[in-house]
Amino acid sequence: MSSNKKYWKSVEELNENSSIVETLRNNEFVEEIPTDTFLSDKDSLSSSSTTRRDFLKYVGFSTAAATLAACEGPVHKSIPYVLQPEQIIPGVADFYATTMFDGFDFANLLVKTREGRPIKIENNTLVGAKFTANARVHASVLSMYDNMRLKVTKIDQKDATWAAADLKIKASLADAKAKGGQVVLLTGTLASPSTEKLIAEFIAQNPTAKHVVYDAVSESAALDAFEAVYGERALADYDFSKAATIVSVGADFLGDWQGGGYDAGYAQGRIPQKGKMSKHFQFEANMTLSGAAADKRVPMTVAAQKQALVKIYSIVTGASVAIGKIANEDVVVKAAQQLKSAGSKGVLVSGIQDKNAQLLVLAINQALASEAFSTAGTRQIRKGSDAKVAQLIADMNAGSVHTLIMSDVNPVYTLANSKEFVSGLKKVKLSAAFSLREDETASVTNIAIPAPHYLESWNDLVLTKGTYSLVQPTIRPLFSSKQFQEGLLSWTGNSASFYDYIKANAAVYLNGMTWNKALHDGLVVGAPVPTTAGSADYTAAANALAQAKSEGEFELVLYTKTGLGDGQQANNPWLQEFPDPITRVSWDNYITISRADAEKKQLTNEIVANGGLNGSYATVKVGNVSVTAPVIIQPGQAPGTIGLALGYGKKAGLKEEMQVGVNAYALYNNFNNVQAASLTKAAGEHEFACVQSQKTLMGRGDIIKETTLTVFTAKFDEPDVWNPTPKVSLDHKEVEATSVDLWESFDRSVGHHFNLSIDLNACTGCGACVIACHAENNVPVVGKSEVRRSRDMHWLRIDRYYSSEETFEQDNEKKESFNGLFGDKGSLGGFGQMESPADNPQVAFQPVMCQHCNHAPCETVCPVAATSHGRQGQNQMAYNRCVGTRYCANNCPYKVRRFNWFLYNNNDEFDFHMNDDLGRMVVNPDVNVRSRGVMEKCSMCIQKTQLTILTAKREGREVATDEFQTACSAACSSGAMVFGDVNNKESQVAKLAESNRMYHLLEHVGTKPNVFYHVKVRNT
């Protein structure tokens, strides 16, 4: 029997005579939406007085610019969807091939768009697309939706139009031409043949004009050396997969050295195959990603590195160079001898910013006839000249520069002598800057022109000689932006669009391919012509370098962090919150110092009651410039050296939350990353947002498992020696932990069953997977204070482990020799000692996400069954069921669940991208944005796996082998992460699951995870 009980929504309804109730009852919408006036037909739509902005306002949007641009798409207009183009299907993603190059980072990409809205960066997997996205490239899609971008042209800091600015620049150019005044185009490295051709045409029409190339982080020494020997201003390319012995002297080639992008080739040689893997020596001052991956890492000052390079040169080439006793001579000699015996299978790289050092690098690789060293497909991604930039500043201050036009550079922020640049700028008759945001430089020029993001632009690129890449827009410009190239076309009197200009210029590079095919693929691969080697006075270079000595109290080594790089994306909250792979600190830069030097200066780090890390402040002085920054005591830092990251301390054009750190460019004198410095302790204590302070294995033997290549090879068929299976007691007998179950298992051999493989040998800690996960799964940014409270929301973290002894094996020996509780060998004192990392520790990186346990401890304790197990192996979360008890997080041995302490979406307390309409345009509509009070975690990208299954079903086929991907596995350029269906025995993940290097995290707990790891093998 149905109930006739009356329900009411408000007290007002109880008043039968209320006119308000009657009105609301009859009107679903309080304010009528005038749809008839503009949705009736195409003609009335185009002539409607009701704008789309008004319509969006009614339906809940307020960002007309982004939505309008997204719906129009790059080519075809698609507003409204009653006139929907065939190419766009709501709910189905489109992908555009493009290329990213911002003067610092570069990659061959696929851009995922939804309803015309770019939301995700993917790697282009075609043959020849060798440059993959790093963490910064993955995050670059969010930078496009930055609400602080420069939106309109400004003349003298007042809103204007491009037409007005164009007229003003043309008048200035005509005046310069008439008076013989100098015109300067100041740009970053362009790597664009069409742009360089345009500039040549501009200079031809303006004889007093010149082009100056300025790289904020200089590679001028390497460029000068290569130009001296090979006659071309470019950089050699390296293929580390062809190297059996790698020696690096101060080059973080797994980081940003000479542009980076070397990790894929390096990882190929690091996975042991048939008893062989590459041997890697690293000599460096700061602890870097390359140093962390090395088999033998030697911390040394840069002066000592120069002498080591001379010693290696003399051994490899047989040249006689007078050099006395050097630091760590035994290791240097051993590395040089192994390098020489490797011959063509050896390679040497160096990051020392000294032309003589870079000449020796070329000489050593020539002597080895190194296969890994390539002068055929030279890198075109750095072209800056320190000398020409210095000359420009002198010319500006002399008053000889009439017109200065800048594009994608920010010298007021990045120059150490920026005050001289600003004073010179005041003497220039007209200055103009094309810039993404109103940064330090754009805010002091006469004209500031908003530049489009690369996802809104056309361009062409030659990243390496022999390749040709295209940049195409994936969305119409969000704001009234103009490309620098469009300006050049206007100033040279060319009425063509830049798209037409590129297309006309492309025939030389297409190598027989059609334009449409090249645009579809994103790149054309040709056959690079080898560069002929000339000669240089290598002996003189070696003799000069042999005299190197440390100057000052400390050597300050400036570097770029994995997160922010040169600082172009300091506006990006994903990158600010990304924990540095080495220090695990986010939202900061800091002075790194060795423990011995910290003790001398009475500098401390301490973990406080809430788990946060605190540290002293110190003042670094270089010449007459001082910078005060917090201190991190860094294991592995060479005594006598300190480190400080560039790219922080920006203020202009950034939200207040992003204005963090100090500007280290102020100490970057003469573009040299090594400076003589003094250090003094400063007052105060700094609060770091550190997600993992200095940790050791400390009894966690089955979290990081490692062995040596010697043991691995000799006992390959006896994995229990180097990959023991944990044992437990059952009926007073020792049995394998994996054979004991509390529950009966169901049949997992039917249908798909997903596994994720992670190879610790291939993982470099680069963090691309972390940012890709952020983008794919709408992971919120919580800010520094919340991270400090251990409330970071990253679904995927990369744990970094140090050894307390020189090797992890010595850690284990120490642990196993504990006897009793107290004394030198007591476990209490011993474990306390193991919390202190060695001065030169071995390092291991381990990505950890939800392990998707088949016997999941979280599932058994959830009182509302919010977390459960799927047939395909995923541990699933029903967010609407979750009531936030957090029992599951308590019961998870891997600590991978994240609790929404606050509402991070549309909340002024968390003013990051999810707090404004423009920033939310990056949100993936396939993944819901979680609200406050629920538990969230890695879903193994269930939306991607289901899409793959549905796509195959729609196309009437089986899912292809290795077609399944997660965000992290697709982003992993080193091949460390492999995802797939373990029930498909042909899949790569199924084969990896059978490897005798395979093990599970905390296997003795009996959780039976669907994520497995591979034992780390060191070639010591």
Side-chain angles (χ1 to χ4, degrees), residues 45-97:
L45 177 71
S46 59
S47 61
S48 170
S49 61
T50 303
T51 64
R52 181 171 173 82
R53 182 184 182 89
D54 292 330
F55 175 72
L56 292 169
K57 192 161 57 181
Y58 283 115
V59 297
F61 286 90
S62 62
T63 310
T67 311
L68 201 68
C71 291
E72 286 189 10
V75 181
H76 298 283
K77 291 188 177 181
S78 54
I79 298 174
Y81 271 167
V82 291
L83 305 173
Q84 180 183 324
E86 293 178 7
Q87 292 86 343
I88 293 181
I89 303 171
V92 177
D94 289 313
F95 290 85
Y96 294 89

Coordinates of all heavy atoms in Angstrom, one line a residue, residues 45-97:
L45 N 20.7 32.7 -34.9 CA 21.8 32.5 -33.9 C 22.9 33.5 -34.2 O 23.4 34.1 -33.3 CB 22.4 31.1 -34.1 CG 23.6 30.7 -33.3 CD1 23.2 30.6 -31.8 CD2 24.3 29.5 -33.7
S46 N 23.3 33.7 -35.5 CA 24.4 34.6 -35.8 C 24.0 36.1 -35.5 O 24.9 36.9 -35.3 CB 24.8 34.4 -37.3 OG 23.7 34.7 -38.1
S47 N 22.7 36.4 -35.6 CA 22.3 37.8 -35.4 C 21.8 38.1 -34.0 O 21.3 39.1 -33.7 CB 21.2 38.2 -36.4 OG 20.1 37.3 -36.2
S48 N 21.8 37.0 -33.1 CA 21.3 37.2 -31.8 C 22.0 38.2 -31.0 O 23.2 38.4 -31.0 CB 21.3 35.8 -31.1 OG 21.0 36.0 -29.7
S49 N 21.2 39.0 -30.2 CA 21.7 40.0 -29.3 C 22.1 39.3 -28.0 O 22.9 39.9 -27.2 CB 20.7 41.1 -29.0 OG 19.6 40.5 -28.4
T50 N 21.7 38.1 -27.8 CA 22.1 37.4 -26.6 C 23.4 36.7 -26.9 O 23.4 35.8 -27.7 CB 21.0 36.4 -26.2 OG1 19.8 37.0 -26.0 CG2 21.4 35.6 -24.9
T51 N 24.5 37.0 -26.2 CA 25.8 36.5 -26.5 C 25.9 35.1 -25.9 O 25.2 34.7 -25.0 CB 26.9 37.4 -25.9 OG1 26.8 37.4 -24.5 CG2 26.8 38.8 -26.4
R52 N 26.9 34.4 -26.4 CA 27.2 33.1 -25.8 C 27.7 33.2 -24.4 O 27.4 32.3 -23.6 CB 28.3 32.4 -26.7 CG 28.6 31.0 -26.1 CD 29.5 30.2 -27.1 NE 29.9 29.0 -26.5 CZ 29.2 27.8 -26.5 NH1 28.0 27.8 -27.0 NH2 29.7 26.7 -25.9
R53 N 28.3 34.3 -24.1 CA 28.7 34.5 -22.7 C 27.5 34.5 -21.8 O 27.5 34.0 -20.7 CB 29.5 35.8 -22.6 CG 30.0 36.1 -21.2 CD 30.7 37.5 -21.1 NE 31.2 37.7 -19.8 CZ 32.4 37.3 -19.4 NH1 33.2 36.7 -20.2 NH2 32.8 37.6 -18.2
D54 N 26.4 35.2 -22.2 CA 25.2 35.3 -21.4 C 24.6 33.9 -21.3 O 24.2 33.5 -20.2 CB 24.1 36.2 -22.1 CG 24.6 37.6 -22.0 OD1 25.3 38.0 -21.1 OD2 24.2 38.4 -22.9
F55 N 24.6 33.1 -22.4 CA 24.1 31.8 -22.3 C 24.9 30.9 -21.3 O 24.3 30.2 -20.5 CB 24.1 31.1 -23.7 CG 23.7 29.7 -23.7 CD1 22.4 29.3 -23.5 CD2 24.6 28.7 -23.8 CE1 22.0 28.0 -23.5 CE2 24.3 27.3 -23.8 CZ 22.9 27.0 -23.6
L56 N 26.2 31.0 -21.4 CA 27.1 30.2 -20.5 C 26.8 30.6 -19.0 O 26.9 29.8 -18.1 CB 28.5 30.4 -20.9 CG 28.9 29.8 -22.2 CD1 30.3 30.2 -22.6 CD2 28.9 28.3 -22.1
K57 N 26.5 31.9 -18.9 CA 26.3 32.4 -17.5 C 25.0 31.7 -17.0 O 25.0 31.3 -15.8 CB 26.1 33.9 -17.6 CG 26.1 34.6 -16.2 CD 26.4 36.1 -16.3 CE 25.4 36.8 -17.2 NZ 25.7 38.2 -17.3
Y58 N 24.0 31.6 -17.8 CA 22.8 30.9 -17.4 C 23.0 29.5 -17.0 O 22.5 28.9 -16.1 CB 21.7 31.0 -18.5 CG 21.1 32.4 -18.6 CD1 21.2 33.1 -19.7 CD2 20.3 32.9 -17.5 CE1 20.6 34.4 -19.8 CE2 19.7 34.1 -17.6 CZ 19.8 34.9 -18.7 OH 19.3 36.1 -18.8
V59 N 23.9 28.8 -17.8 CA 24.0 27.4 -17.6 C 25.1 27.0 -16.6 O 25.5 25.9 -16.5 CB 24.2 26.6 -18.9 CG1 23.0 26.7 -19.8 CG2 25.5 27.1 -19.7
G60 N 25.7 28.0 -16.0 CA 26.7 27.8 -14.9 C 28.1 28.0 -15.2 O 29.0 27.7 -14.4
F61 N 28.4 28.5 -16.4 CA 29.8 28.8 -16.7 C 30.1 30.3 -16.6 O 29.1 31.1 -16.8 CB 30.2 28.4 -18.1 CG 30.4 26.9 -18.3 CD1 29.3 26.1 -18.6 CD2 31.6 26.3 -18.1 CE1 29.4 24.7 -18.8 CE2 31.7 24.9 -18.2 CZ 30.6 24.2 -18.5
S62 N 31.3 30.7 -16.4 CA 31.6 32.1 -16.5 C 32.8 32.4 -17.3 O 33.2 33.6 -17.4 CB 31.8 32.7 -15.1 OG 32.8 32.0 -14.4
T63 N 33.5 31.4 -17.8 CA 34.7 31.7 -18.6 C 34.4 31.6 -20.1 O 34.6 30.5 -20.7 CB 35.8 30.7 -18.3 OG1 35.9 30.6 -16.9 CG2 37.1 31.1 -18.9
A64 N 33.9 32.6 -20.6 CA 33.4 32.6 -22.0 C 34.6 32.4 -23.0 O 34.5 31.7 -23.9 CB 32.7 33.9 -22.4
A65 N 35.7 33.1 -22.6 CA 36.9 33.0 -23.6 C 37.4 31.6 -23.8 O 37.5 31.2 -24.9 CB 38.0 33.9 -23.0
A66 N 37.6 30.9 -22.7 CA 38.1 29.5 -22.8 C 37.1 28.6 -23.5 O 37.4 27.8 -24.3 CB 38.5 29.0 -21.5
T67 N 35.8 28.7 -23.0 CA 34.8 27.8 -23.6 C 34.6 28.0 -25.0 O 34.4 27.1 -25.8 CB 33.5 28.0 -22.8 OG1 33.8 27.9 -21.4 CG2 32.5 26.8 -23.1
L68 N 34.5 29.3 -25.4 CA 34.3 29.7 -26.8 C 35.4 29.1 -27.6 O 35.2 28.5 -28.7 CB 34.2 31.2 -26.9 CG 33.5 31.8 -28.2 CD1 32.1 31.4 -28.1 CD2 33.7 33.3 -28.2
A69 N 36.7 29.4 -27.2 CA 37.8 28.9 -27.9 C 37.9 27.4 -28.0 O 38.2 26.8 -29.1 CB 39.1 29.4 -27.3
A70 N 37.5 26.7 -26.9 CA 37.5 25.2 -26.9 C 36.5 24.7 -27.9 O 36.8 23.8 -28.7 CB 37.2 24.7 -25.5
C71 N 35.3 25.3 -27.9 CA 34.3 24.8 -28.8 C 34.6 25.0 -30.3 O 34.2 24.3 -31.2 CB 32.9 25.4 -28.5 SG 32.3 24.8 -26.9
E72 N 35.3 26.1 -30.6 CA 35.7 26.4 -31.9 C 36.7 25.5 -32.5 O 36.7 25.1 -33.6 CB 36.2 27.9 -32.1 CG 35.1 28.9 -32.0 CD 35.5 30.3 -32.3 OE1 36.6 30.4 -32.8 OE2 34.8 31.2 -32.1
G73 N 37.6 25.0 -31.6 CA 38.6 24.1 -32.0 C 39.7 24.8 -32.8 O 39.6 26.0 -33.1
P74 N 40.7 24.1 -33.3 CA 41.8 24.8 -34.0 C 41.4 25.2 -35.4 O 42.0 26.1 -36.0 CB 42.9 23.7 -34.0 CG 42.2 22.4 -33.8 CD 40.9 22.7 -33.0
V75 N 40.5 24.5 -36.1 CA 40.2 24.8 -37.5 C 38.8 25.1 -37.7 O 38.4 26.1 -38.3 CB 40.7 23.6 -38.4 CG1 40.4 23.9 -39.8 CG2 42.1 23.3 -38.1
H76 N 37.9 24.2 -37.3 CA 36.5 24.3 -37.6 C 35.7 24.9 -36.5 O 35.8 24.5 -35.3 CB 35.9 22.9 -37.9 CG 36.5 22.2 -39.1 ND1 36.2 22.6 -40.4 CD2 37.5 21.3 -39.2 CE1 36.9 21.8 -41.2 NE2 37.7 21.0 -40.5
K77 N 34.8 25.8 -36.8 CA 33.9 26.4 -35.8 C 32.8 25.4 -35.4 O 32.3 24.7 -36.3 CB 33.3 27.7 -36.3 CG 34.3 28.8 -36.5 CD 33.6 30.1 -36.8 CE 34.7 31.2 -36.9 NZ 34.0 32.5 -37.2
S78 N 32.5 25.3 -34.2 CA 31.5 24.3 -33.7 C 30.6 24.9 -32.7 O 30.4 24.3 -31.7 CB 32.3 23.1 -33.2 OG 33.2 23.4 -32.3
I79 N 30.2 26.1 -32.9 CA 29.2 26.7 -31.9 C 28.0 27.0 -32.7 O 28.0 27.7 -33.7 CB 29.8 28.0 -31.4 CG1 31.1 27.7 -30.6 CG2 28.8 28.7 -30.5 CD1 31.8 29.0 -30.1
P80 N 26.8 26.7 -32.2 CA 26.6 25.8 -31.1 C 26.6 24.4 -31.6 O 26.7 24.1 -32.7 CB 25.2 26.2 -30.6 CG 24.5 26.6 -31.9 CD 25.6 27.2 -32.8
Y81 N 26.3 23.4 -30.7 CA 26.4 22.0 -31.1 C 25.1 21.6 -31.9 O 25.0 20.4 -32.2 CB 26.6 21.1 -29.9 CG 28.1 20.9 -29.6 CD1 28.6 20.4 -28.5 CD2 29.0 21.3 -30.6 CE1 29.9 20.2 -28.2 CE2 30.4 21.1 -30.4 CZ 30.8 20.6 -29.2 OH 32.2 20.4 -29.0
V82 N 24.2 22.5 -32.1 CA 23.1 22.2 -33.1 C 23.7 22.2 -34.5 O 23.1 21.7 -35.4 CB 21.9 23.2 -33.0 CG1 21.2 23.0 -31.7 CG2 22.4 24.6 -33.1
L83 N 24.9 22.8 -34.6 CA 25.6 22.8 -35.9 C 26.9 22.1 -35.7 O 28.0 22.5 -36.1 CB 25.9 24.3 -36.3 CG 24.7 25.2 -36.4 CD1 25.2 26.6 -36.7 CD2 23.8 24.7 -37.5
Q84 N 26.8 21.0 -35.0 CA 28.0 20.2 -34.6 C 28.8 19.7 -35.7 O 28.3 19.0 -36.6 CB 27.6 19.0 -33.7 CG 28.7 18.2 -33.2 CD 28.2 17.0 -32.4 OE1 27.2 17.2 -31.7 NE2 28.8 15.9 -32.5
P85 N 30.1 19.9 -35.8 CA 31.0 19.3 -36.8 C 31.1 17.9 -36.6 O 31.1 17.3 -35.5 CB 32.3 20.0 -36.6 CG 32.3 20.5 -35.2 CD 30.9 20.8 -34.8
E86 N 31.3 17.2 -37.7 CA 31.4 15.7 -37.7 C 32.6 15.2 -36.9 O 32.6 14.2 -36.3 CB 31.4 15.1 -39.1 CG 30.1 15.3 -39.9 CD 30.3 14.8 -41.3 OE1 31.3 14.1 -41.6 OE2 29.3 15.0 -42.1
Q87 N 33.6 16.0 -36.9 CA 34.9 15.6 -36.3 C 34.8 15.5 -34.8 O 35.6 14.9 -34.2 CB 36.1 16.6 -36.7 CG 36.4 16.5 -38.2 CD 35.6 17.4 -39.0 OE1 34.5 17.9 -38.6 NE2 36.0 17.7 -40.2
I88 N 33.9 16.3 -34.2 CA 33.9 16.3 -32.7 C 32.7 15.5 -32.2 O 31.5 15.8 -32.6 CB 33.8 17.8 -32.2 CG1 35.1 18.5 -32.5 CG2 33.5 17.8 -30.7 CD1 35.2 19.9 -32.0
I89 N 32.9 14.5 -31.4 CA 31.9 13.7 -30.8 C 31.9 13.9 -29.3 O 33.0 13.6 -28.7 CB 32.1 12.2 -31.1 CG1 32.1 12.0 -32.7 CG2 31.0 11.4 -30.5 CD1 32.5 10.6 -33.0
P90 N 30.9 14.5 -28.7 CA 30.9 14.8 -27.3 C 31.2 13.5 -26.5 O 30.7 12.4 -26.8 CB 29.5 15.3 -27.0 CG 29.0 15.8 -28.3 CD 29.6 15.0 -29.4
G91 N 32.2 13.6 -25.6 CA 32.5 12.4 -24.8 C 33.7 11.6 -25.3 O 34.2 10.7 -24.7
V92 N 34.1 11.9 -26.6 CA 35.2 11.2 -27.2 C 36.4 12.1 -27.4 O 36.2 13.2 -27.9 CB 34.8 10.6 -28.5 CG1 35.9 9.8 -29.2 CG2 33.6 9.6 -28.3
A93 N 37.5 11.7 -26.9 CA 38.7 12.5 -27.0 C 39.3 12.5 -28.4 O 39.2 11.6 -29.2 CB 39.8 12.0 -26.1
D94 N 39.8 13.7 -28.8 CA 40.6 13.9 -30.0 C 42.1 14.1 -29.7 O 42.4 14.7 -28.6 CB 40.1 15.0 -30.9 CG 38.7 14.8 -31.5 OD1 38.5 13.7 -32.1 OD2 37.9 15.7 -31.4
F95 N 43.0 13.6 -30.5 CA 44.4 13.8 -30.3 C 45.0 14.5 -31.5 O 44.7 14.2 -32.6 CB 45.1 12.4 -30.1 CG 44.7 11.7 -28.8 CD1 43.6 10.9 -28.7 CD2 45.5 11.9 -27.7 CE1 43.2 10.3 -27.6 CE2 45.2 11.2 -26.5 CZ 44.0 10.5 -26.4
Y96 N 45.9 15.5 -31.1 CA 46.6 16.3 -32.1 C 48.1 16.0 -31.9 O 48.6 16.2 -30.8 CB 46.3 17.7 -32.1 CG 44.9 18.1 -32.4 CD1 43.9 18.1 -31.4 CD2 44.5 18.4 -33.7 CE1 42.6 18.5 -31.7 CE2 43.2 18.8 -34.0 CZ 42.2 18.8 -33.0 OH 40.9 19.1 -33.3
A97 N 48.8 15.7 -33.0 CA 50.3 15.6 -32.9 C 50.8 17.1 -32.9 O 50.4 17.9 -33.8 CB 50.8 14.8 -34.0

